[in-house]
Amino acid sequence: MADHDNEVDLHDYPATQSAEPTGPLDLDYLRDKYRQERDKRLRAQGTNQYNFAEGDLAKYDDDPYAPPAQPREPQTEELDVLIIGGGFGGLLAGAAMRKANVPSLRILDVASDFGGTWYWNRYPGVRCDVEAYIYLPFLEETGYMPTERYTAGPEILEYTHLLGRHFDLYQDALFQTRVTGMDWDEEASRWNVTTDRGDRFAARFVTTQSGIFSRPQLPGVPGIETFKGTSFHTARWNYEFTGGDGQGGALDKLSDKRVAVIGTGSTALQAIPQLAASAQHLTVFQRTPTAVGVRDNAPTDVEWFKSLPSGWQQQRMDSFQMLADGTYTDDCPVDDGWTRYWKHTLSAVGAIPEAEMSPERYGAEMEKADYAWNEMIRARVDAVVKDEQKARDLKAYYKATCKRMGFSDDYLPAFNQDNVALVDTAASGIDRITETSIVVDGVEHQVDCIIFATGFELGTTWAHQAGYDVVGREGAILSEKWETGIRSYHGLFTVGFPNIFFMGLTQTGTTICVPHMLSKQVEHIAHVVEKSLERGITSVEATPDVEQEWVDVIAGKSELRRPGQIECTPGYFNAEGKPNDTRSAIGSGIFFPSIEFFDMLADWRAADDFPGLVTTT
Ligand code: NAP
């Protein structure tokens, strides 16, 4: 059984069991309930309901972790490769360029160090929700052993710095530097890139992972700018106000404070138990509950880690993604909430006799298995949360794949504390924020501090999230080309904008373990850069034909996902309930299954002649 009192242990639920529900499942009731819950949450504005950290709210984007940038001399340089972003994407790209002996390189980041997501997200309790053994790249190469299965944020941040040192990337990094624009110089076949520090780079190739999980999103609540207490976003934590240092210590300055958290997504799941332990009073404002599965973290078994054979990390990563892609395998050594869910649903459809297999039957068995899984998750809420009303409010009624799955062993118990209140906004959200309070259903909740756990700007265009525009061949403007969605070849190239590679969630094969996706994108980019430099190729650009073909492939994939997206409760996976809103990178569609996508890229590289790209020398 679980270590935690009165919790349901999902280990008791056999991972390979077929989709027999644990109790009688009333499918009609559940279908109805899920639809009702979704309908309550659908909003005409979709993604436009949100506020972003700009204009009056620009302060929510300020860096609380570093002193203001010191003046420095502007740089004017010719570069082979310019990498925008120093998170895992930039680090992986930097490492690949080092390995390819690219002569000149620059990495730019707005932050004051490497780390990306892990630089910004220093909220108390921050932890990777994917096993560190697959999440942290290069473990075999660096020899680093994560201390825990689900590593805490500070350790991951430290590891990004280790990678910076390991690949000798600090010498090429310019931090606290924001790209302001990029122009293609046809004659020189280079990108002229400008920054807010006055730099001018003439770069042959540019990689960018701008525009994903980087800019704080704020709720579209009237009066948000009028609040007179302290307020901040979870990705810009104000330790000066809360006390503590993000290293696990108590938030000792909150003992006389009434704190509000808005949002109950993956971030809130991790921060709320820490706030509950320290605040005089904590009020959690919930719009949609998250389904919270077992976390089951543990220290790394040193002997086991030492015994892992060469090549273990890629095998672990690939087999994890294979399950995520929908291919059953018993060869995946990861055994956690993710893999147990996938095995549970995949074995349900695997049990359909061949003669009876049809898309309808497949869908029906999947649906049943998902309902059964979530009944178990809901049963866990009842088993843990003592107050009946809170337990009712904390139960999620949507398919597991509608939102990022949540895992925690201390989130639900926090609601048993006397100092923790849950205000379920019954799907409608908050009415307004005043100088001193948050108002829901006409009831005013007085608070000293509001913490926005309201996620990241994901539904807007690539250029809006990146914060700069790109001017390509013949004055083509990227924000115009991508106004209603990304158009790309393999997610990496776009016509009219040679030599720039787009990383991230751009019509690509995505992975739950994000560095896995990034590593595959980097492998491809490094191949193109290395071969181009070797062969004296000065520009590479997709042809309109291959771009159109790829856009059509992605549109076909999106069509297959559409029924599921329509059924889902609103969230950033379905453009807040408006799957026809294709303007964002996520809205522009993805390729699945991802392992197939990665294999396709490998075949492309093996062809060795850049199929679908026009090159000039
Ligand atoms: P999120 O999943 O987007 O959640 C935002 C929360 O704010 C939701 O609960 C949302 O409710 C709520 N909200 C928005 N507007 C509201 C309003 N007007 N009134 C009340 N509530 C409102 O953001 P997140 O939790 O920061 O997570 C973002 C992503 O970061 C995750 O999906 C995950 O991919 C990643 N993440 C990863 C880890 C990791 O360990 N690797 C940890 C944390 C986060 P609705 O659901 O009703 O919209």
Side-chain angles (χ1 to χ4, degrees):
M1 283 299 292
D3 298 339
H4 316 280
D5 284 352
N6 71 8
E7 281 191 28
V8 175
D9 184 354
L10 297 191
H11 279 128
D12 289 346
Y13 194 83
T16 52
Q17 184 176 321
S18 69
E20 284 310 308
T22 46
L25 271 186
D26 185 339
L27 294 179
D28 287 337
Y29 165 78
L30 286 169
R31 252 178 232 131
D32 241 36
K33 173 82 176 155
Y34 279 31
R35 281 187 190 142
Q36 279 171 24
E37 294 294 327
R38 175 205 59 188
D39 290 349
K40 278 200 279 184
R41 291 176 169 80
L42 285 172
R43 273 170 190 75
Q45 312 99 301
T47 291
N48 294 339
Q49 71 182 279
Y50 292 108
N51 276 312
F52 303 117
E54 57 197 13
D56 280 359
L57 303 176
K59 66 170 183 178
Y60 290 102
D61 199 20
D62 290 348
D63 184 349
Y65 312 123
Q70 292 302 305
R72 66 161 170 79
E73 283 302 306
Q75 308 286 307
T76 304
E77 293 175 331
E78 272 203 358
L79 301 168
D80 293 298
V81 178
L82 178 78
I83 295 170
I84 303 175
F88 273 119
L91 285 161
L92 284 157
M97 297 310 155
R98 273 284 178 275
K99 288 181 180 184
N101 291 318
V102 167
S104 56
L105 186 69
R106 271 280 176 221
I107 306 178
L108 307 181
D109 202 295
V110 183
S112 71
D113 208 328
F114 287 120
T117 291
W118 303 98
Y119 176 91
W120 296 109
N121 285 281
R122 302 191 197 190
Y123 58 83
V126 59
R127 226 168 246 290
C128 188
D129 66 0
V130 170
E131 214 197 52
Y133 314 129
I134 57 174
Y135 187 84
L136 297 180
F138 297 119
L139 287 182
E140 288 191 69
E141 186 168 335
T142 59
Y144 183 80
M145 185 190 79
T147 59
E148 294 172 279
R149 192 173 181 204
Y150 300 96
T151 321
E155 183 173 336
I156 303 177
L157 181 59
E158 206 35 61
Y159 187 68
T160 65
H161 300 167
L162 182 152
L163 291 180
R165 293 191 298 274
H166 184 82
F167 293 106
D168 210 8
L169 297 174
Y170 274 97
Q171 58 167 320
D172 295 321
L174 285 174
F175 296 118
Q176 297 188 301
T177 300
R178 189 183 291 275
V179 169
T180 49
M182 213 188 296
D183 271 271
W184 177 248
D185 179 341
E186 188 71 53
E187 217 161 286
S189 279
R190 286 179 183 274
W191 285 104
N192 287 326
V193 181
T194 52
T195 75
D196 63 352
R197 310 296 294 270
D199 308 309
R200 283 196 74 82
F201 301 105
R204 176 74 69 212
F205 296 103
V206 174
T207 80
T208 171
Q209 37 277 319
S210 308
I212 183 87
F213 293 110
S214 52
R215 298 188 68 182
Q217 174 170 271
L218 299 154
V221 176
I224 185 170
E225 70 292 346
T226 63
F227 184 64
K228 288 244 161 68
T230 299
S231 62
F232 54 91
H233 188 273
T234 46
R236 305 286 186 274
W237 196 269
N238 184 343
Y239 279 105
E240 216 176 293
F241 177 80
T242 64
D245 56 5
Q247 304 288 328
L251 306 169
D252 52 350
K253 293 187 185 169
L254 293 182
S255 58
D256 58 352
K257 300 284 186 301
R258 297 160 302 173
V259 177
V261 171
I262 301 180
T264 48
S266 314
T267 297
L269 250 54
Q270 296 178 333
I272 281 169
Q274 321 300 317
L275 290 163
S278 299
Q280 181 202 77
H281 194 266
L282 174 68
T283 311
V284 177
F285 292 84
Q286 169 182 276
R287 193 167 66 176
T288 308
T290 289
V292 188
V294 166
R295 178 64 308 171
D296 209 9
N297 196 11
T300 301
D301 175 338
V302 181
E303 289 314 310
W304 164 78
F305 193 80
K306 280 191 198 150
S307 74
L308 291 166
S310 161
W312 68 268
Q313 197 181 23
Q314 194 62 51
Q315 192 280 334
R316 205 171 176 96
M317 236 188 257
D318 288 344
S319 55
F320 181 82
Q321 186 54 37
M322 197 181 281
L323 284 168
D325 280 353
T327 305
Y328 190 93
T329 174
D330 277 324
D331 286 340
C332 179
V334 183
D335 176 26
D336 67 1
W338 296 103
T339 61
R340 274 176 241 145
Y341 170 78
W342 295 324
K343 286 188 168 183
H344 164 74
T345 47
L346 291 175
S347 43
V349 292
I352 303 171
E354 218 179 307
E356 295 171 27
M357 181 57 96
S358 67
E360 292 73 28
R361 179 74 191 275
Y362 187 98
E365 292 302 334
M366 267 287 181
E367 182 192 46
K368 207 159 41 140
D370 187 279
Y371 283 146
W373 179 267
N374 280 306
E375 283 287 278
M376 199 170 49
I377 298 279
R378 288 187 283 267
R380 187 180 187 224
V381 179
D382 281 330
V384 176
V385 179
K386 298 195 174 97
D387 180 278
E388 282 182 19
Q389 184 60 48
K390 279 184 183 168
R392 253 196 306 278
D393 291 342
L394 285 164
K395 284 183 205 158
Y397 287 91
Y398 51 80
K399 285 189 182 150
T401 46
C402 289
K403 285 182 181 273
R404 179 115 178 157
M405 285 194 233
F407 303 100
S408 174
D409 297 335
D410 52 8
Y411 176 72
L412 294 173
F415 289 93
N416 290 333
Q417 290 181 214
D418 292 339
N419 65 330
V420 179
L422 176 65
V423 176
D424 182 57
T425 66
S428 61
I430 289 159
D431 302 347
R432 63 182 199 281
I433 293 176
T434 72
E435 290 186 2
T436 57
S437 68
I438 295 178
V439 183
V440 176
D441 269 343
V443 179
E444 224 176 319
H445 302 265
Q446 297 289 335
V447 293
D448 302 306
C449 168
I450 302 178
I451 301 171
F452 295 107
T454 40
F456 300 90
E457 187 184 328
L458 289 163
T460 54
T461 61
W462 183 93
H464 193 265
Q465 291 175 46
Y468 57 88
D469 214 334
V470 183
V471 183
R473 274 207 167 113
E474 294 167 15
I477 295 175
L478 190 63
S479 61
E480 288 176 7
K481 177 173 179 184
W482 284 1
E483 198 177 353
T484 53
I486 288 181
R487 294 181 55 83
S488 77
Y489 175 43
H490 293 165
L492 291 164
F493 313 91
T494 195
V495 175
F497 301 83
N499 292 16
I500 175 167
F501 311 110
F502 297 92
M503 295 174 63
L505 294 172
T506 50
Q507 300 190 322
T508 190
T510 55
T511 51
I512 293 288
C513 174
V514 173
H516 186 188
M517 168 187 79
L518 296 170
S519 71
K520 291 295 171 184
Q521 293 172 341
V522 160
E523 200 176 345
H524 208 63
I525 293 166
H527 169 89
V528 174
V529 168
E530 193 176 0
K531 299 286 171 202
S532 296
L533 293 179
E534 235 173 67
R535 297 170 188 171
I537 292 172
T538 53
S539 84
V540 293
E541 186 183 355
T543 66
D545 285 353
V546 293
E547 181 173 291
Q548 186 57 51
E549 273 168 33
W550 190 248
V551 167
D552 291 343
V553 167
I554 296 294
K557 299 280 184 193
S558 297
E559 225 25 66
L560 295 174
R561 293 173 68 226
R562 185 172 307 275
Q565 295 222 310
I566 291 170
E567 285 289 311
C568 268
T569 193
Y572 68 81
F573 285 6
N574 67 353
E576 301 296 335
K578 289 185 166 289
N580 288 337
D581 179 356
T582 55
R583 77 194 127 131
S584 72
I586 295 177
S588 304
I590 55 161
F591 185 97
F592 59 91
S594 298
I595 297 288
E596 187 184 317
F597 176 78
F598 301 149
D599 289 346
M600 191 199 69
L601 291 188
D603 290 345
W604 187 97
R605 293 193 294 276
D608 206 30
D609 60 353
F610 295 1
L613 297 185
V614 179
T615 60
T616 51
T617 46

